Amino acid sequence: MSSTRSIARRVLRSSTLAALTAPHGVDRYLELVNPMWAAREVRARVVSIERETDTANPVATLTLQPTSTWEGHVAGQHVQVGLELPGARRLTRVFSISSAASAPGEEFTLTIRSNDGGTVSSYLVEQARPGQVLHLSQALGEFVLPDPLPDRLVFLSGGSGITPVMAMTRTLLRDGYDGRITFLHYAQTPAHQIYADELAALAAADNGVDVHLVHPDAGGDLFTTEALATLAPDYRDVDAWACGPAGLVALVEDAYAGTERLRVEYFKTPTVATGDAEGSVAFTRSGEQAANSGATLLEQAEALGLTPEYGCRMGICFSCTSRKTEGTVRNVLTGEESALPDEDIRVCVSAPVGDCSVEL
Amino acid sequence: MTVTPVTQATSATGPKARKDTASKAAEAARKARQDQLDPSTVAGRAGLTPADLDRFGEEMDVIRKRVLSELGEEDATYIRNVVKAQRAFEIAGRALFYLPPAWPLAVGALSISKILDNMEIGHNVMHGQYDWMGDPALNSRMYDWDNVCPGEQWKYSHNYIHHTFTNILGKDRDIGYGILRMDEDQKWSPYYLGNPVYALLLMVFFEWGVAMHDLEAENIVAGKRSIADNKPLYPGLLRKIRRQAAKDYLLFPALTGPLFPLTLAGNVTANLVRNIWAFNIIFCGHFPAGVETFTEEETADESRGHWYFRQILGSANISGSKLLHLMSGNLSHQIEHHLFPDLPARRYPELSEEVREACERYGLDYNTGPLPKQLFSVARKIFRLALPNRSEGPAPTPEAAKADTAA
Ligand code: FES
């Protein structure tokens, strides 16, 4: 079975087949026969969707069966998920993988919170159905455990930031890790607690894992220096991984100031438009930054001495397409605003509304 | 002339909306200019003041915005179905070469595949018409067509140079492709006696013409570009040529074993059919009699309205059946395409009624006609312009141009 798979793979990726299907590539033909056939691209079929919490912003775990092109993942990594929403617009978002490390072609899970502003996450949690096909990247990210493993680890997470550290914990236990883990997690209320049952079982078992769940309603304390000192007195000397909302990560960073022990990860959220030309504009590739003048991004970049590529300067030729990583822009021709992170925009007709970062 | 705009302008964001508290006199002078006909320009001769053009531009912007807001499932399904059909014709064509008696069918299917790929899919996708879908398979930055011209290079010369400087003599390099004399205002020289022959050659080798177009040979001859400027283009161009040639002239023929020569001939024919078809559609879109060209002076610093105006007078449509529109990638609606190059081409037929009606109100010539008429008109022009202009006088008046169309 696996040898047929590897032969099929070798044929599909052969230069002859590439030459025969040029310029479109093998995948453009395979997908027409079966969306789960691919030579290079990665897609996945939703196998099941299970609710984790039923709070206002519910959380669900999606089990995905990837195409054979999936190269597997290391615990802590994330994946880009592309989803075609009603209106035929495909949006791509990044989610951490919550299951233990996977081998090539193997199932894995994503645990996702439905965000008000995140159309992709709300769709995946509340409307996606088993059988639906998603577009994926390979697993990405450096927020992973080192090799060799230290014999003591601290994981700090908040909200849905629990996913990568949960993947790490699951992998460690599966693979017979014999060190000690301090697992600190913050959730708004017990009802918001993701993986409540599994965490209770983890805490009860004799496995070297200390689980501390912090719920502010129940009088719990955030991860301040003092709180950490009581929960894990040696924390500053132990390798730690923190993931969660930016505010929580900042607190943890303060507590670890001056040490080299901490690795952090947090996700971007769409910004809120202010409707005004304020804030500042950052051109990330060149490292330039300036106050937003309200002019188009192309003009603002040029005012800073940058020379982005352009053609028509009126929005018709797409020569100036660049990636906006954060912030809201207004299309000066249509007045339409868009606040999606990591979006390709035509800088000649896009003016920033508030803070904005562009890869130029 | 007086013109009644259908929709009141609502554009508050345009640069023109800027409040100017400068001296009233300057304002008045500007106003007067806005309402004055300038007979030295194409617009002035067409009876349109700068203010008329602004109103016209606003009307076009309203159409544009509306369509943008409507884009969705229907457009996505349409283009995906065209892609499916193209792939099906391609596979059928390649497969039928194994059955020698089916050779004509194989050539037919492969020709259709190449035409669909280059026109309704390639040309339109590479214009960014489907970028809003966020699908990499239909994205202008990712797509490349089944044609020897690298999409990357074509996008520059076509989307930018041609669509921005449409029919501006000296700037739009698509006027006669630097080879032909397609406008009275291109200075005649004995070289142009060969006009019909060059046109025939360009038609037969059209994909190669399009690929070489980006090397701007005419500008090198004229000393405006050096051979060294082309250096960066060679690797991409050669890679694409190699890939296309290997596929059509080596690998697929070889796969049919003893039928190699037949398959090779079939692939050559399919490329030829596509070349002839694409050449004719494109020449009908820009060069029938009556299409206007503009000077660099009158388009320096032009308003958005004037840009729209220029697109209309620089293009011509072909009337015909749905099949004709599909097979021409809706470039049979060249006028609408030039007005709205980044809107999905399948929308052009429905937009054409509004555009045509607006043209009537503004007294603009909306150049359209059935394929044979437009082809004849182009052919006549190619032959006529092989010879020097009959009367070396002032530029022809719009009336003269109209008479020409009617002929
Ligand atoms: S420069 Fe042509 S679209 Fe921006």
Side-chain angles (χ1 to χ4, degrees):
Chain A
M1 176 60 203
S2 77
S3 75
T4 16
R5 176 181 273 184
S6 82
I7 292 171
R9 214 173 139 97
R10 198 147 349 123
V11 172
L12 287 180
R13 291 196 174 196
S14 67
S15 55
T16 319
L17 209 53
L20 289 174
T21 53
H24 305 310
V26 187
D27 283 337
R28 294 281 81 78
Y29 295 84
L30 289 179
E31 70 185 355
L32 296 176
V33 187
N34 182 336
M36 289 300 285
W37 290 358
R40 280 173 203 285
E41 286 177 10
V42 188
R43 288 184 279 270
R45 191 163 31 81
V46 177
V47 177
S48 61
I49 304 166
E50 254 166 75
R51 274 295 165 98
E52 297 284 352
T53 74
D54 275 314
T55 40
N57 293 325
V59 176
T61 294
L62 281 80
T63 305
L64 304 181
Q65 172 58 60
T67 46
S68 61
T69 41
W70 173 250
E71 287 168 7
H73 83 280
V74 176
Q77 285 192 303
H78 52 254
V79 62
Q80 293 173 359
V81 178
L83 169 68
E84 190 166 317
L85 291 164
R89 270 126 177 119
R90 189 200 290 188
L91 295 182
T92 302
R93 290 288 178 281
V94 173
F95 298 105
S96 284
I97 302 172
S98 53
S99 52
S102 66
E106 215 173 66
E107 276 188 4
F108 61 89
T109 65
L110 302 176
T111 300
I112 299 170
R113 158 156 294 146
S114 159
N115 277 321
D116 295 335
T119 34
V120 174
S121 63
S122 2
Y123 186 93
L124 287 175
V125 172
E126 297 172 69
Q127 290 174 57
R129 290 283 163 264
Q132 181 160 10
V133 173
L134 309 175
H135 303 268
L136 302 183
S137 66
Q138 294 289 359
L140 305 163
E142 305 296 315
F143 187 72
V144 294
L145 293 168
D147 186 25
L149 286 167
D151 53 13
R152 173 103 175 73
L153 301 164
V154 172
F155 296 144
L156 306 110
S157 59
S160 56
I162 195 171
T163 45
V165 291
M166 197 63 187
M168 290 178 185
T169 310
R170 287 167 168 171
T171 309
L172 290 167
L173 292 177
R174 181 190 71 183
D175 298 349
Y177 176 68
D178 55 9
R180 268 182 55 224
I181 303 171
T182 305
F183 193 102
L184 305 174
H185 179 73
Y186 165 91
Q188 247 172 294
T189 69
H192 284 84
Q193 183 60 56
I194 306 173
Y195 310 133
D197 296 344
E198 188 177 350
L199 290 172
L202 271 186
D206 173 22
N207 52 12
V209 187
D210 295 326
V211 179
H212 296 282
L213 301 182
V214 180
H215 301 134
D217 291 6
D221 228 345
L222 264 179
F223 303 138
T224 56
T225 315
E226 301 74 42
L228 288 177
T230 26
L231 288 171
D234 62 342
Y235 77 93
R236 284 177 66 91
D237 305 319
V238 177
D239 287 301
W241 281 259
C243 182
L248 179 126
V249 169
L251 265 182
V252 175
E253 275 177 328
D254 282 347
Y256 275 86
T259 79
E260 306 254 289
R261 296 286 187 177
L262 183 69
R263 291 100 172 140
V264 299
E265 176 141 289
Y266 47 90
F267 297 130
K268 289 174 213 161
T269 43
T271 42
V272 183
T274 55
D276 281 319
E278 49 184 43
S280 72
V281 183
F283 297 99
T284 52
R285 201 167 301 152
S286 58
E288 297 282 349
Q289 180 152 1
N292 174 14
S293 68
T296 64
L297 281 164
L298 180 59
E299 289 162 337
Q300 298 203 38
E302 286 172 340
L304 286 171
L306 309 184
T307 50
E309 201 178 310
Y310 67 82
C312 64
R313 302 185 76 101
M314 54 190 296
I316 59 168
C317 75
F318 292 73
S319 309
C320 65
T321 307
S322 307
R323 173 141 297 204
K324 175 197 72 179
T325 47
E326 266 171 296
T328 304
V329 290
R330 196 187 70 250
N331 182 317
V332 297
L333 299 178
T334 63
E336 213 180 306
E337 289 190 355
S338 79
L340 302 174
D342 294 321
E343 177 185 31
D344 285 336
I345 56 168
R346 283 166 280 174
V347 292
C348 69
V349 290
S350 302
V353 182
D355 288 342
C356 184
S357 307
V358 186
E359 282 179 8
L360 274 176
Chain B
M1 93 184 292
T2 49
V3 171
T4 350
V6 196
T7 344
Q8 261 337 105
T10 48
S11 136
T13 45
K16 304 261 165 343
R18 151 170 50 94
K19 275 191 202 105
D20 209 333
T21 41
S23 82
K24 281 203 182 126
E27 177 64 20
R30 195 189 62 83
K31 264 231 168 111
R33 253 200 324 278
Q34 278 291 91
D35 292 326
Q36 223 157 55
L37 286 177
D38 178 353
S40 71
T41 63
V42 178
R45 287 194 298 274
L48 294 174
T49 65
D52 292 332
L53 288 175
D54 281 347
R55 270 196 300 277
F56 181 70
E58 277 154 15
E59 284 193 35
M60 294 298 116
D61 275 337
V62 168
I63 299 181
R64 192 188 140 76
K65 265 188 222 174
R66 192 194 65 223
V67 176
L68 273 178
S69 71
E70 289 168 359
L71 296 181
E73 306 284 355
E74 269 180 42
D75 304 273
T77 311
Y78 172 81
I79 192 69
R80 284 182 173 144
N81 285 340
V82 177
V83 170
K84 272 188 212 147
Q86 180 268 319
R87 305 283 201 260
F89 275 112
E90 183 179 2
I91 292 166
R94 303 282 186 200
L96 284 171
F97 280 120
Y98 286 95
L99 290 176
W103 191 88
L105 277 181
V107 173
L110 197 55
S111 306
I112 294 176
S113 150
K114 284 179 183 277
I115 288 170
L116 286 176
D117 175 277
N118 287 187
M119 306 192 79
E120 184 67 324
I121 308 170
H123 170 269
N124 293 337
V125 165
M126 291 200 290
H127 257 291
Q129 294 180 0
Y130 297 93
D131 278 12
W132 53 272
M133 288 171 61
D135 181 346
L138 294 169
N139 185 283
S140 61
R141 292 205 291 173
M142 314 282 216
Y143 200 88
D144 200 358
W145 51 8
D146 183 8
N147 174 317
V148 291
C149 178
E152 204 45 56
Q153 296 179 13
W154 175 82
K155 274 184 282 178
Y156 172 79
S157 64
H158 182 83
N159 287 6
Y160 168 38
I161 303 290
H162 169 59
H163 273 276
T164 310
F165 305 118
T166 316
N167 280 13
I168 301 179
L169 274 175
K171 280 187 132 178
D172 180 0
R173 300 184 45 253
D174 282 25
I175 302 181
Y177 277 80
I179 304 171
L180 304 175
R181 182 163 181 256
M182 292 308 296
D183 191 89
E184 283 86 356
D185 297 340
Q186 273 173 288
K187 213 168 125 51
W188 184 84
S189 75
Y191 161 86
Y192 288 117
L193 285 171
N195 226 26
V197 181
Y198 310 146
L200 186 73
L201 288 173
L202 182 58
M203 174 169 83
V204 169
F205 296 105
F206 194 53
E207 65 169 330
W208 299 92
V210 173
M212 302 307 155
H213 186 48
D214 299 332
L215 301 178
E216 305 192 23
E218 82 281 10
N219 283 339
I220 294 178
V221 174
K224 286 195 240 168
R225 185 181 170 95
S226 81
I227 298 232
D229 290 337
N230 280 341
K231 269 236 176 89
L233 297 178
Y234 295 145
L237 187 57
L238 290 177
R239 196 177 331 117
K240 188 73 195 287
I241 292 175
R242 224 181 298 124
R243 284 203 323 201
Q244 288 296 111
K247 175 176 75 155
D248 279 344
Y249 306 139
L250 197 69
L251 286 169
F252 275 112
L255 277 181
T256 55
L259 300 174
F260 189 106
L262 272 181
T263 312
L264 173 65
N267 291 350
V268 171
T269 313
N271 279 324
L272 179 68
V273 170
R274 183 267 329 274
N275 285 353
I276 294 174
W277 177 252
F279 170 92
N280 282 299
I281 293 298
I282 287 158
F283 270 63
C284 284
H286 282 305
F287 309 119
V291 162
E292 283 279 359
T293 52
F294 296 77
T295 64
E296 291 191 38
E297 295 80 66
E298 67 191 298
T299 52
D301 234 354
E302 76 180 343
S303 65
R304 198 162 163 81
H306 189 273
W307 182 82
Y308 275 125
F309 165 76
R310 180 156 56 79
Q311 302 307 319
I312 290 194
L313 295 197
S315 316
N317 282 7
I318 310 168
S319 56
S321 66
K322 275 207 167 127
L323 185 65
L324 173 91
H325 298 323
L326 169 66
M327 294 306 283
S328 66
N330 277 300
L331 290 183
S332 46
H333 290 94
Q334 191 69 248
I335 298 178
E336 287 72 23
H337 174 56
H338 264 272
L339 291 173
F340 312 113
D342 58 344
L343 295 185
R346 66 174 284 269
R347 298 278 185 161
Y348 298 155
E350 83 189 38
L351 296 184
S352 65
E353 283 169 33
E354 283 170 82
V355 170
R356 193 170 184 159
E357 185 270 336
C359 285
E360 262 160 36
R361 268 184 293 115
Y362 285 84
L364 297 177
D365 193 12
Y366 184 95
N367 188 332
T368 182
L371 187 59
K373 175 182 164 235
Q374 301 293 58
L375 279 178
F376 178 72
S377 173
V378 172
R380 230 177 60 132
K381 195 176 210 175
I382 291 173
F383 280 97
R384 191 163 46 85
L385 293 181
L387 302 172
N389 296 350
R390 256 167 273 165
S391 58
E392 291 288 341
T397 59
E399 282 66 38
K402 272 199 195 109
D404 209 353
T405 330

